[in-house]
Amino acid sequence: MGTMAQPDPEGTRRTVSYTAKSISVLEGLEAVRKRPGMYIGSTDGRGLHHLVWEVVDNAVDEHLAGHATKITVTIRTDGAVEVIDNGRGIPVEKHPRERKPAVEVVLTKLHAGGKFDQQSYAVSGGLHGVGVSVVNALSRKTEVEVVRDGKRHAISFARGKRKKALEVIGRAKRTGTTVRFWPDEEIFDEVLFDDDVVLTRLRETCLLNPGLRIDFSDERTGRKETFEFRKGLADFVNDLLGDDEAVLSKPVIVSRSEVVHDRSLACDIGVNWQAVGFDERVRSYVNIIRTADGGAHEEGFRKAITGTLNRWGEQNKGFKKGEPRLTGDAIREGMVGVISVKMPDPQFEGQTKGKLGSAIMRGFVERTVNEALSEWLDSNPTLGRKIIKKAQVSAKAHEAARQARDLTRRKGILDTQSAGLPGKLSDCSSRNPEESELYVVEGDSAGGSSKLARDRHTQAILPLRGKVLNVEKAQLRRALANAEIQNLIKAIGTGIGDDFDYAKLRYHKIAILSDADVDGGHITTLLLTFFYRLMPKLVDGGHLYIAQPPLYQLRKGTKSFYAMNDGERDRLLKTEFKGQVNVDIARFKGLGEMDAEQLWSTTMDPAQRTLLRVTIDHAERAEQVFALLMGESAADRREWIEANARYAENIDA
């Protein structure tokens, strides 16, 4: 029988059991396959990877309970994912009410698990208790092996239903659980796991759990990685900083736990600031689960950081006479931090656990940071003044940016000739944003062709002259003074940054249309940087697309086909033009070479075109890539190019 130690309010330790009696059953599994999006968010790549997170989180729960030190994650060649932990093993004796082995109950009943009564697990990531049962329901096959009480037990399922009953298949030492699942192709758009996405999540998990080791391998590619960290949050904050110079030589670390209203709460926070940089990089977690949309713990942290620094600055000559208090935006500019809290029974918004709603954690984090940061500032006054000085510089930049935004707004309002819209915009006649599209087109000549090709009722055209400003390098004030960027902001209508207003979005599809060459790729990248930095909610909302014009036209006689790239050209030669000679292959050097009919039929006709939707599946990776490839550090960019040049294709020479 497995046991665990759990702290109580008096600071002593008591032992509780983890047996079949610990498994609480709330309801069945019927609706999962019918409406999978309710449980995993979507059936695209994000939902597919969510299955991995659910199984890994269960293994991490064993680590949090003090029983697992190692997790192995394997992507197999047959499409399965295998997760092995050396925890206690899921209980195998019969459940007292269900009259089935507890492991079968956990795999087939929604809301069945050892995490609802706060006895077997003090804190847990899989707190909704639907994790492994939903994985089972959405997999065409699931196999589970449990090593417990000196025996190896096995049970298997198919699409959520038991296929082979629990049986003992041998003897074994130690304890642990193996979960092996094959996602169902009938449920998911595509069953293809991304190594980088999985590795980023596993790395974060180890950074938040000092002493936990995770071994990863992909049998498809032979790729292997091992993660294990000893310093925890200090390692994590330094990892987020990367090569950026920091204001502090080492991060401020806050760690505290206490019992509030009979609930054991804990928070671990690490924070530093970039010496030169404007983007805020804060990652928050609840019971090791990433809360991408923040919530109560982030709100408490931000309020405490702002209030404590201002109070300390006023009391310790951090401000000159007459200087205003610092705003939260100014303090958070360049801030790099990790917030990790643990609590029983947290309340999330949605099954995918994107936002914490537990108000008790807001007050706990705010009080903890207020006290701990005040103590740190009193002990490190010189460093405290450095932080305040950094925030004051940011405040001046914020004020300059505000004035630039106000100026942009005034120009838009006073421009009566175009009612605030750019003169180069060829607008559509529809005033229904849901059916309206904006094509952002490279160059005036391509703009002319696209104006003739478009559906005037629903498609608007905005030609851009040359390459837009790289907003990753430029200050916001300079960016907003750029004519092409002003035209983009005016045409879209939402405003930028904190002023972004969804209600003013004039087009629900915004498509970048550039030449299919290196220069066109550069322009697309500059525009992606603009949208990611100044209009991230547009990307999050799924409104940004990249149009796909063809690179080649192949003709012979009456037969004519278009190819997007060299590979598609070669495939057409081997299929549609197999055995034929003297096939006319025309390479489009730019959009301007295509006539209106060609542009419409290949790129703009909704019935035939290909539009790639731009998504940010992993914000941290996007943040790092934009900062590296579009930022100030030429040395880092050169190093990356030298390391990855061998993977480049379609290079213009």
Side-chain angles (χ1 to χ4, degrees):
M1 181 177 69
T3 61
M4 69 163 286
Q6 177 176 312
D8 63 19
E10 286 72 37
T12 60
R13 296 174 71 84
R14 56 193 174 89
T15 300
V16 294
S17 297
Y18 179 45
T19 67
K21 294 180 180 179
S22 307
I23 306 301
S24 307
V25 181
L26 304 184
E27 61 178 278
L29 243 189
E30 296 83 5
V32 180
R33 288 183 62 83
K34 183 176 290 187
R35 295 183 178 87
M38 292 179 61
Y39 300 89
I40 60 171
S42 66
T43 56
D44 57 11
R46 186 175 300 181
L48 176 70
H49 287 83
H50 192 80
L51 301 187
V52 184
W53 313 154
E54 291 286 5
V55 181
V56 170
D57 288 344
N58 281 348
V60 173
D61 289 340
E62 281 292 281
H63 171 77
L64 290 173
H67 297 280
T69 58
K70 180 181 176 181
I71 301 171
T72 301
V73 180
T74 305
I75 300 177
R76 297 171 28 141
T77 53
D78 60 1
V81 173
E82 179 182 77
V83 179
I84 305 173
D85 69 68
N86 63 349
R88 292 167 290 177
I90 302 173
V92 294
E93 63 266 32
K94 285 191 176 181
H95 190 276
R97 183 162 66 86
E98 294 295 312
R99 304 298 180 188
K100 297 176 181 178
V103 63
E104 181 179 340
V105 175
V106 169
L107 267 291
T108 58
K109 298 290 184 180
L110 197 63
H111 298 303
K115 303 165 188 176
F116 293 100
D117 57 9
Q118 301 172 26
Q119 298 297 312
S120 300
Y121 290 90
V123 295
S124 163
L127 282 160
H128 289 244
V130 301
V132 72
S133 60
V134 167
V135 173
N136 188 24
L138 300 180
S139 297
R140 59 180 173 85
K141 182 167 65 172
T142 306
E143 297 175 349
V144 179
E145 294 180 13
V146 176
V147 177
R148 189 174 168 116
D149 303 324
K151 300 175 183 177
R152 182 176 293 275
H153 309 260
I155 187 170
S156 62
F157 307 85
R159 294 184 169 91
K161 297 180 180 179
R162 192 189 74 186
K163 185 177 181 182
K164 193 172 183 180
L166 182 72
E167 61 178 342
V168 176
I169 60 173
R171 301 194 65 80
K173 297 180 180 179
R174 301 185 178 87
T175 57
T177 302
T178 298
V179 177
R180 199 176 297 117
F181 65 93
W182 288 256
D184 195 345
E185 293 86 350
E186 295 178 3
I187 298 292
F188 294 96
D189 303 341
E190 184 179 28
V191 178
L192 185 63
F193 291 100
D194 185 330
D195 278 2
D196 290 331
V197 172
V198 175
L199 284 167
T200 300
R201 173 69 176 244
L202 298 182
R203 179 183 176 83
E204 284 186 359
T205 299
C206 283
L207 283 164
L208 290 166
N209 289 277
L212 174 64
R213 171 175 170 167
I214 298 183
D215 293 330
F216 169 84
S217 64
D218 187 340
E219 294 179 351
R220 304 169 303 176
T221 62
R223 186 175 184 180
K224 295 184 178 181
E225 297 278 355
T226 294
F227 300 116
E228 187 174 13
F229 299 94
R230 295 296 175 186
K231 295 182 181 179
L233 289 190
D235 283 330
F236 204 158
V237 173
N238 291 334
D239 188 69
L240 290 175
L241 272 167
D243 294 328
D244 292 345
E245 182 185 353
V247 172
L248 309 176
S249 59
K250 57 182 181 180
V252 179
I253 302 296
V254 175
S255 184
R256 189 166 296 184
S257 60
E258 62 181 68
V259 175
V260 180
H261 302 309
D262 296 325
R263 301 175 72 183
S264 297
L265 306 181
C267 75
D268 296 282
I269 296 171
V271 64
N272 205 334
W273 281 263
Q274 305 166 68
V276 179
F278 62 87
D279 56 314
E280 177 187 348
R281 304 174 195 169
V282 172
R283 310 286 179 258
S284 65
Y285 302 81
V286 178
N287 298 348
I288 317 302
I289 301 299
R290 173 73 195 280
T291 42
D293 300 322
H297 51 335
E298 282 196 26
E299 292 166 7
F301 168 74
R302 288 188 165 94
K303 185 176 179 181
I305 283 280
T306 303
T308 301
L309 280 171
N310 274 304
R311 283 193 300 273
W312 186 87
E314 289 175 342
Q315 296 167 6
N316 293 271
K317 301 180 180 179
F319 302 128
K320 295 179 181 178
K321 188 176 181 180
E323 283 186 328
R325 286 171 62 94
L326 295 167
T327 65
D329 287 340
I331 290 173
R332 294 193 300 270
E333 186 166 291
M335 186 169 70
V336 178
V338 179
I339 307 165
S340 178
V341 301
K342 298 182 179 72
M343 66 183 301
D345 193 26
Q347 302 302 308
F348 293 100
E349 294 185 9
Q351 162 59 16
T352 53
K353 311 176 181 75
K355 186 174 183 179
L356 178 66
S358 302
I360 191 173
M361 186 55 76
R362 182 187 298 108
F364 172 62
V365 171
E366 182 180 350
R367 186 175 67 257
T368 295
V369 174
N370 277 336
E371 295 172 1
L373 184 58
S374 294
E375 293 173 5
W376 183 89
L377 289 167
D378 288 339
S379 301
N380 301 273
T382 302
L383 296 179
R385 292 187 183 92
K386 285 183 68 174
I387 296 171
I388 289 175
K389 182 65 176 176
K390 155 76 176 173
Q392 288 174 327
V393 172
S394 298
K396 292 178 181 177
H398 273 270
E399 177 59 22
R402 185 192 63 78
Q403 293 175 0
R405 283 197 298 268
D406 290 345
L407 179 62
T408 303
R409 291 194 200 100
R410 288 198 299 272
K411 284 185 176 180
I413 293 170
L414 296 174
D415 187 1
T416 55
Q417 184 178 359
S418 61
L421 295 176
K424 298 176 73 172
L425 173 70
S426 297
D427 207 1
C428 55
S429 58
S430 173
R431 291 297 174 261
N432 179 6
E434 292 185 4
E435 68 175 6
S436 300
E437 305 174 349
L438 174 66
Y439 277 84
V440 182
V441 183
E442 170 192 351
D444 289 336
S445 60
S449 298
S450 56
K451 288 176 189 176
L452 294 173
R454 67 183 175 130
D455 176 349
R456 292 174 179 270
H457 178 63
T458 60
Q459 294 177 332
I461 307 295
L462 178 65
L464 298 179
R465 178 177 299 172
K467 296 180 179 179
V468 298
L469 190 68
N470 180 1
V471 299
E472 186 71 23
K473 290 183 179 181
Q475 291 184 342
L476 183 59
R477 177 176 54 184
R478 183 176 165 223
L480 293 178
N482 180 270
E484 301 304 311
I485 286 179
Q486 283 189 19
N487 286 341
L488 269 172
I489 295 171
K490 285 183 181 181
I492 294 168
T494 58
I496 61 172
D498 295 338
D499 296 326
F500 188 92
D501 184 355
Y502 252 124
K504 296 179 181 178
L505 180 61
R506 304 183 68 247
Y507 313 93
H508 274 214
K509 278 191 174 72
I510 298 169
I512 300 171
L513 178 55
S514 60
D515 292 343
D517 59 13
V518 171
D519 277 342
H522 187 208
I523 288 171
T524 297
T525 304
L526 289 168
L527 287 169
L528 289 174
T529 306
F530 162 79
F531 286 113
Y532 179 71
R533 286 301 185 200
L534 300 186
M535 295 183 176
K537 292 179 182 177
L538 201 70
V539 183
D540 291 340
H543 300 293
L544 184 62
Y545 296 80
I546 299 176
Q548 298 291 287
L551 190 59
Y552 298 99
Q553 182 182 30
L554 289 76
R555 290 181 300 182
K556 183 163 186 180
T558 58
K559 292 172 64 175
S560 177
F561 292 90
Y562 293 95
M564 297 295 179
N565 49 51
D566 292 353
E568 194 170 336
R569 176 201 61 192
D570 295 341
R571 182 184 61 79
L572 287 170
L573 287 173
K574 293 176 182 178
T575 54
E576 301 297 337
F577 297 96
K578 185 176 181 180
Q580 300 183 36
V581 296
N582 299 325
V583 177
D584 181 24
I585 303 175
R587 186 183 192 278
F588 296 110
K589 294 181 180 179
L591 295 170
E593 292 189 0
M594 302 176 69
D595 60 36
E597 184 178 347
Q598 289 175 322
L599 192 57
W600 167 256
S601 62
T602 63
T603 312
M604 301 181 72
D605 181 1
Q608 302 182 70
R609 70 188 179 189
T610 299
L611 290 180
L612 300 181
R613 175 177 279 170
V614 178
T615 62
I616 302 295
D617 290 328
H618 203 285
E620 292 85 349
R621 288 173 60 202
E623 178 73 47
Q624 292 165 2
V625 169
F626 276 113
L628 173 65
L629 299 184
M630 306 301 289
E632 294 283 359
S633 178
D636 290 343
R637 185 158 48 251
R638 178 187 177 89
E639 180 181 342
W640 185 90
I641 291 171
E642 289 175 346
N644 293 276
R646 64 184 184 277
Y647 303 118
E649 298 178 355
N650 299 326
I651 298 176
D652 283 0

